[in-house]
Structures are given as structure tokens and as C-alpha cells.
Amino acid sequence: MSEGPPALRILAADIGGTNARFAAFAADPAGGLSLLRACWLPTAGSAGFPELAARLDREGGLPFAAAEADVAAVAIAGPVEEGGRCAPPNIAWNLDLARDAPALGWRDWVLLNDFAAQALACRTPVGERAREVLPGRAEPQGVLAVVGAGTGLGKAALAPDGRGGWLVLSSEAGHGLFPFASERELEFWRFVRAATGRAQVIGDLVCSGSGLSLLHRFLTGEEKSPEEVAAAFGPDSAPLEWFARFLGRACREYALQTVALGGVVVAGGIAARNPAVALHPAFAAEFRDSETHAALLARIPVRLSADQDAGLWGAALAGLQRSRAGACPPAP
């Protein structure tokens, strides 16, 4: 009796400014994805992607070597150009998969932005597990916006393609100027400029791990790592209230820019490890605050994706789509 076609082997990678996550996935003939094993490596521990890939084969413990995958899908924190190149702003080296993939023995590959992968993850089991933060009425064919704070501020969206599938809209919106809204916040703007030497205070400097440390120093005078600041979060924590307000604002701005009637998903390492950021009343108050579109924002549901492997699931889905010549997943 025939055993049927073998499962597709997918190598997924999510390369951020701090961690490089890798996973082996299997896709059955019906398109169902299964995560077989994942591993994390420090991004800064390698001089470039080929060295990082070599470390993966030596140390990752995945069930198949990278070159044995049917397709490799790499998500990276930066803009993808010409389909295979990226100069990530928060990583010390550039990536050129068009050059490196053949040298690594990869038979097929795809490169995408890390938050494009976060958006695609919403069409996988990761999306089904997301937690409600704010209620609303999602339109099934509405744009879905994804916003997240980690090493930087990431944003991307899923838009209906008119054929029952979805298009991923990548973004570098985290590198746009962050909007401040009061005299006290402008004091923080001046503090960030002085502390970083940067003329432009962008979202990456505010809604991020480094932003959390800067915020704590501004409010308390104490120098602490993002992990130390988050560990001290409590109901009356001023850094938590400020950071929740800033993240709510980042989500609101992107929801309005994309008209995200399909909802907003909060992703990224900070909120995933510290759900209190998205669940804080300051987040909700800021997200709903608009002099012109309060009614629209009240309709938009917000969910929190706390799965730190979400980018890997999204990359794996991109790999599956690549193997199917760009086929899109069906609408829910």
C-alpha cells in the first residue's frame, strides 16, 4: 500500500537584533505545519549569516541539516531588497541570501522581513492562541495590523488579495518619528536625544528594550537593563504606565494608517514576556483615543500573541507558500 507523498521539510529562521531563532518544520500534503524542534542562538555571536548557519548545524540539534531542507525561509529584522538582500539596522552584518544560499547548499529559499513573518503567523495556530486585549468586531476581509516591541519596533499588515487569500505588507514604520503628545513627553524626547546623540527620535528608540531602559532612567535616574526594568513592573510602576501608553499609541497610529478593521495583534518580545504592558489601562486608553476616529477604533479588536516562536511559524508558512509557487493560505 502506498504511504503517500513525504512531508515537506522546512527550515525556518527568525533573525533579530538580539536572538537568532531557528526551527525545523514539517508540512503535510494538506498544508498543515508541525514544529519539530526549535533552537535559539545569539545573533551577535557570529560575524555573518554563513557563520551563524554553520553554528546551527553544529549546535542546533535540529532533526535535519539546513542543506537537507526542501525549502529554507529566513525572516530578518530589516528591509528586504531585490528578493534576497537585507542591511538590517540593528545587526552588525548584512545578509545576501542570493549569494550565500547556494554556497550553503540550500536548494530553495525565501527571505522576508521579520514582521512580515509575524503577520503571516496570524494565519497559523499561533493566531488561534492569541489572547484578547480589547474587544471589537473584526471584519473577516479587513486588514490585520501587527505591531510589536523588541530590540526595535516592528510593524506589518495582512491585506485581503480579493481571491480569498492574503498579501503581506512589510514595513519599516518603526524607523519613522515617534509622536509625543505633552510637555512632559517632550522632556523625554529631549532626554532621548541627549542620551543617544540621535537627532531623530524614532519608534525604535521608544518602543523597544533600549527605549524601556531610557524611560526608566528618565523617570528614576537609575541605569537598568530592559530585563531589570520589566522585572520590577507592578501596578503603580511609572515605567510600565509610560511604556504601555507609548505602545498603545504605536498600535493606534498603525491601525489608523492601515484602517485595520481586521484587528490589531500585539507581538514582539517585550509584551510576550510581560503581558501587563498590553493589559495596562494606559494601553487601552491610548489606543482608543482619537478626536476624529474614536468610533472606528472602538470597533477594532486587539489581541496579544505571546508565542515567542511566532516569527518561526510565519517564516515556515512563507516557506510553504514558496514551495507552492506563492499560493496564499485560505481566508478563515
Side-chain angles (χ1 to χ4, degrees), residues 35-223:
L35 194 161
L36 305 179
R37 185 178 177 87
C39 72
W40 291 24
L41 298 172
T43 303
S46 300
F49 187 76
E51 184 178 324
L52 188 60
R55 286 190 62 195
L56 171 67
D57 279 338
R58 290 196 310 269
E59 306 169 23
L62 300 185
F64 50 80
E68 295 172 342
D70 296 297
V71 60
V74 178
I76 190 164
V80 175
E81 301 180 59
E82 299 177 346
R85 297 178 176 84
C86 179
N90 296 317
I91 298 175
W93 39 263
N94 294 341
L95 175 61
D96 186 348
L97 270 191
R99 175 197 64 205
D100 293 337
L104 292 168
W106 292 7
R107 64 185 79 178
D108 197 11
W109 55 271
V110 60
L111 181 65
L112 67 159
N113 172 264
D114 64 332
F115 260 75
Q118 290 284 347
L120 281 172
C122 297
R123 316 311 311 168
T124 74
V126 168
E128 299 169 8
R129 296 192 292 265
R131 173 182 184 179
E132 182 180 273
V133 171
L134 294 174
R137 302 185 302 278
E139 292 187 4
Q141 289 297 300
V143 171
L144 177 70
V146 183
V147 180
T151 303
L153 175 63
K155 300 181 182 182
L158 284 180
D161 67 359
R163 301 189 303 273
W166 300 87
L167 297 173
V168 185
L169 306 178
S170 299
S171 163
E172 288 296 309
H175 293 266
L177 298 179
F178 190 83
F180 295 98
S182 69
E183 288 300 320
R184 180 63 169 152
E185 288 185 4
L186 286 174
E187 290 179 19
F188 178 57
W189 171 77
R190 286 187 283 270
F191 174 85
V192 173
R193 291 185 72 193
T196 63
R198 301 274 290 272
Q200 297 182 335
V201 180
I202 62 175
D204 255 25
L205 296 178
V206 178
C207 289
S208 63
S210 62
L212 186 57
S213 290
L214 286 167
L215 184 57
H216 185 270
R217 180 147 59 100
F218 170 73
L219 294 171
T220 69
E222 299 175 340
E223 188 92 44

Side-chain angles (χ1 to χ4, degrees), residues 275-292:
V277 170
L279 298 174
H280 195 283
F283 177 95
E286 191 67 29
F287 181 80
R288 301 294 200 207
D289 186 21
S290 172
E291 293 180 353
T292 56

